Every structure is written in structure tokens, then in C-alpha cells.
Amino acid sequence: MRIISQSSTGRENTFRTEVRKRDGKCVITGTINRRANRDNWTGFHAAHIFPLSSEDYWVQSGFSRWITNKGERDTGFNSCQNGLLMETTIHELFDGFYFSINPDDGYKITCFDEDNKRIDGRILDPVCRDPNSDLSARDELLKWHFRQAVLANMRGAGEPSFETDFPPGTDMIGEILSGPAAAKRMEAELSSRLGGYFLPGTLQSL
């Protein structure tokens, strides 16, 4: 599970500012930030839909094609089209693929684990998905996140299911470590390749 970055680069600052201005609330729970007029965003995060830790993969795979408001030399990764405003704890759950949003089902939120926040079945707030605005979150990115969440949880009981068909030239280790449940995925891969020579449970620090 990746660690949420608190980067303060210029691009990150612009990303946070644009997402905050567009949404003004947690688009998952509907909680409004009533301190916004004082520019106090404690308890709220501008979350990247496509993981912040995987920007290199974003560039290599050409996902910038989904961003329509980027500059000529900009990868579009820090466009507000790749962002949603969330409460801090909700952001952590989103990054861990414990829930996701399905644009093909009316933007319904689906939980893949215990629904302590009671968000399962809610609808993504319309404030971040106005079809007439070039600031709206992109459906393509929401679909990507939903697919990854399904793959990570399809075995049930919190046990992720991993795609292990790595094309030639793929950075297999990088792919595993940048994805969800890195320790379990690495164990599964090493166990399948090394058989009895690998002792499960030795990678829990990942």
C-alpha cells in the first residue's frame, strides 16, 4: 500500500489549489470544508486518482492522452482532471483500493472491505464531474482505478488477485512495489518462481 505524498513542488501546489477550488468538499462523503474561506484545509486531501507514486509509469504508458487541459510540455499528471478532494481518512482508503467509483454505473461508490464510513452505494458528488467543464475528473481515470480495485480484491476477504503476465522489458519489481498490497504480491510472485526455496511471510515490511 503506497504512502500518501505530501510533496510541496510547484506542480503539486497548483494541483491542490485547483482541486480544492473546484470541489470545496469531500466528493465521497459530501462533507463541506467550512474553513475554506480561511484557506484552512486540515482534514482534507487533494487525492490523485492515478497513484502519485506511479508517475513514471503514467508517462511511459502515455496516460496523459486522457488529460485535455495540460500544457505543451506537461505530462498532465498533476492536472485537476486527475484529482478528487477527499477527507484524509477517505483518501487513505481510496489509495489502498478499499473502495472505488464506477462511472459506468452512475458514478456509484463500491466498497471492497468493511464499510466503516458508510459510503457504499453513494454517488460521486457532481461538483467534480461536470461534463461541460474542462476541470472535471476524467472518466477514463476513474475507470482505471475501479478496474485496479476489482483486481486487487476479487479473491474476497481482502486477499488481492494479481496479474502476473509481465510483458518483455517490464520492470517487474517496480510494477509490484508501486501497486497495491506489495508485500503479498511479491510473496506470490517469488513463491511461484522459487517454490519451496522461499519462506512466505518474509516481506511484510514492504
Side-chain angles (χ1 to χ4, degrees):
M1 196 177 303
R2 76 183 177 86
I3 298 173
I4 299 172
S5 170
Q6 298 297 327
S7 170
S8 59
T9 65
R11 291 189 306 158
E12 279 288 293
N13 287 335
T14 299
F15 170 78
R16 280 193 290 269
T17 298
E18 291 182 346
V19 171
R20 289 169 177 174
K21 182 178 180 180
R22 183 194 66 198
D23 296 348
K25 66 175 79 171
C26 174
V27 296
I28 304 301
T29 66
T31 302
I32 298 172
N33 180 19
R34 302 192 184 281
R35 296 184 293 269
N37 62 334
R38 290 180 276 130
D39 199 29
N40 184 341
W41 294 89
T42 303
F44 291 84
H45 281 171
H48 285 80
I49 301 171
F50 193 96
L52 183 59
S53 61
S54 301
E55 184 172 3
D56 288 343
Y57 183 68
W58 165 283
V59 174
Q60 295 167 9
S61 301
F63 290 143
S64 61
R65 66 186 181 276
W66 292 331
I67 302 299
T68 62
N69 64 352
K70 63 182 183 297
E72 183 177 348
R73 297 185 179 181
D74 183 12
T75 66
F77 187 81
N78 284 299
S79 164
C80 62
Q81 293 182 345
N82 184 33
L84 298 170
L85 190 66
M86 300 182 188
E87 294 180 64
T88 304
T89 53
I90 297 295
H91 183 189
E92 293 171 355
L93 295 172
F94 185 75
D95 281 353
F97 297 99
Y98 290 107
F99 80 89
S100 193
I101 303 140
N102 187 0
D104 293 327
D105 190 20
Y107 298 92
K108 183 180 292 184
I109 296 166
T110 298
C111 287
F112 299 96
D113 201 81
E114 287 83 1
D115 184 19
N116 294 331
K117 297 296 183 179
R118 297 185 178 181
I119 58 176
D120 188 61
R122 290 181 63 95
I123 303 299
L124 181 69
D125 198 289
V127 72
C128 64
R129 53 182 176 86
D130 180 357
N132 298 316
S133 173
D134 65 354
L135 301 177
S136 295
R138 298 290 294 171
D139 281 2
E140 292 86 351
L141 294 174
L142 293 172
K143 290 176 183 178
W144 177 89
H145 187 277
F146 187 79
R147 178 175 181 271
Q148 299 307 310
V150 170
L151 290 173
N153 291 280
M154 65 188 301
R155 287 190 179 178
E159 293 295 327
S161 177
F162 304 117
E163 294 180 299
T164 56
D165 182 18
F166 296 95
T170 298
D171 177 9
M172 184 183 74
I173 302 299
E175 288 286 319
I176 292 174
L177 295 181
S178 66
K184 290 183 179 180
R185 188 176 185 187
M186 185 66 80
E187 282 188 2
E189 187 64 27
L190 290 177
S191 180
S192 68
R193 293 173 183 269
L194 301 180
Y197 293 98
F198 175 71
L199 180 62
T202 59
L203 294 174
Q204 294 306 313
S205 62
L206 283 176

